[in-house]
Amino acid sequence: MRYRMKSSIRWTRTSEGGILVNVTSGASYRVNKVGALIMADLVEGSLLEDIVSQLCAIYRTSEGSLGKDVEAFTNTLRRMDIIEAYDMV
């Protein structure tokens, strides 16, 4: 599955991770370094499965638990109206 940021969201990386800002509501959110890696890949249009594989290689862990964590993170971003799923046609 692919996700993209909603048009009202802006984000930037920081030394500690990243900051997301909803320019419509003014709400802001911080993400840690792993969250920033995920956001960067989401913005590039990477498949969720590819993001998990990349993180597994970086952190030398299994896809099982990391996949669940990435899915939970993206579900949180969806509930917060930061990202949305889309299909490439």
Side-chain angles (χ1 to χ4, degrees), residues 34 51-66:
V34 176
I51 295 171
V52 171
S53 295
Q54 175 188 352
L55 291 173
C56 285
I58 292 170
Y59 294 104
R60 296 187 174 115
T61 188
S62 70
E63 289 190 14
S65 62
L66 187 58

Side-chain angles (χ1 to χ4, degrees), residues 5-12 18-30 81-82:
M5 282 193 315
K6 295 273 187 123
S7 61
S8 60
I9 302 297
R10 303 293 180 269
W11 98 285
T12 189
I19 298 173
L20 300 146
V21 177
N22 183 319
V23 295
T24 303
S25 69
S28 63
Y29 313 94
R30 293 182 186 271
D81 215 23
I82 293 172

